[in-house]
């Protein structure tokens, strides 16, 4: 996806998140994040937006320490001011990324064509996944993201976060998982063992121990641990989610594929 497309998605998803929060009690539980209330979710995303905006806006070349992060995030707003505070930070992040030069140099933490491409992509998916959390708190699944964006988010998760060597998805293995989208050109093969998770997009004639197929939107939320298989099957708008093989590998994923 182009940087401009990620920024457009960030803009859209942030507005949808704020709208979901505005029609819901901030004390409402977040089913997809059991330890949080809706107010906790909105604060978290608002803090991430301010933290993320600091790197391109200030051309920071190293990760902020705790004191530096707190300085750019600023004081914690009251519940009464929370949504205005969130919208302000979201708009500032969108503006920062929209106005940043293509040759921007700053710190980032996943492979990307450029730091600007990294931050636009990361914040688009950060906001989209948490928008789904806000909709869950509001009691509605909300609108689906389009297949191209969902496939991009799956790729960031699998070949970005999960391939960093910090994922806790392990087994005695090796065991393999094939993930295929039914509404776009997305296919990934995961090899789970005691070693760091290996991810490739190359097709293999060898059958996988588990194959997961379905629409990109449902796979996106399933792999980000926002839907169970049963929920994905019920909510699929463009086709079924199907599992073939060892479903225990999906349980292994759910237990170990948390993003911190």
């Amino acid at each position: 996806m182009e940087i401009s497309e990620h920024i457009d998605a960030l803009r859209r998803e942030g507005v949808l998140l704020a709208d979901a929060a505005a029609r819901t009690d901030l004390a409402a539980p977040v089913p997809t994040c059991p330890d949080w209330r809706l107010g906790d979710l909105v604060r978290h995303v608002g803090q991430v937006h301010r933290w993320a905006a600091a790197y391109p806006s200030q051309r920071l070349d190293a990760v902020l320490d705790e004191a530096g992060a707190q300085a750019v995030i600023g004081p914690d707003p009251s519940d009464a001011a929370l949504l205005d505070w969130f919208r302000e930070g979201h708009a500032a992040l969108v503006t920062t990324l929209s106005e940043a030069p293509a040759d921007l140099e700053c710190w980032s933490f996943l492979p990307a064509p450029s730091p600007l491409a990294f931050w636009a992509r990361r914040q688009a998916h950060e906001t989209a996944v948490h928008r789904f959390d806000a909709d869950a708190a509001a009691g509605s699944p909300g609108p689906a993201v389009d297949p191209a964006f969902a496939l991009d988010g799956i790729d960031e998760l699998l070949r970005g976060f999960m391939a960093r060597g910090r994922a806790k998805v392990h087994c005695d293995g090796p065991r393999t998982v094939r993930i295929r989208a039914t509404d776009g050109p997305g296919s990934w093969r995961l090899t789970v063992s005691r070693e760091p998770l290996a991810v490739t997009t190359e097709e293999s004639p060898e059958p996988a121990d588990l194959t997961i197929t379905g629409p990109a939107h449902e796979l996106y939320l399933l792999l980000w641990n926002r839907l169970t298989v049963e929920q994905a099957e019920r909510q699929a708008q463009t086709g079924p989610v199907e599992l073939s093989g060892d479903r225990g590998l999906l349980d292994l994923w759910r237990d170990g594929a948390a993003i911190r």
Side-chain angles (χ1 to χ4, degrees), residues 107-142:
W107 178 81
S108 59
F109 61 86
L110 292 178
S114 69
L116 179 58
F118 163 80
W119 284 110
R121 185 193 206 194
R122 177 80 291 277
Q123 290 310 299
H125 292 296
E126 174 81 12
T127 307
V129 170
H130 284 314
R131 187 269 293 174
F132 183 83
D133 295 331
D135 278 327
S140 167

Side-chain angles (χ1 to χ4, degrees), residues 122-187:
R122 177 80 291 277
Q123 290 310 299
H125 292 296
E126 174 81 12
T127 307
V129 170
H130 284 314
R131 187 269 293 174
F132 183 83
D133 295 331
D135 278 327
S140 167
V145 298
D146 68 58
F149 182 76
L151 292 171
D152 182 75
I154 294 170
D155 195 69
E156 185 202 38
L157 173 63
L158 297 181
R159 295 205 296 157
F161 281 106
M162 293 295 106
R164 286 196 300 171
R166 296 172 60 182
K168 297 180 180 179
V169 182
H170 297 294
C171 69
D172 290 334
R175 306 281 283 167
T176 55
V177 180
R178 170 63 74 186
I179 299 161
R180 288 194 179 97
T182 54
D183 55 353
S187 179

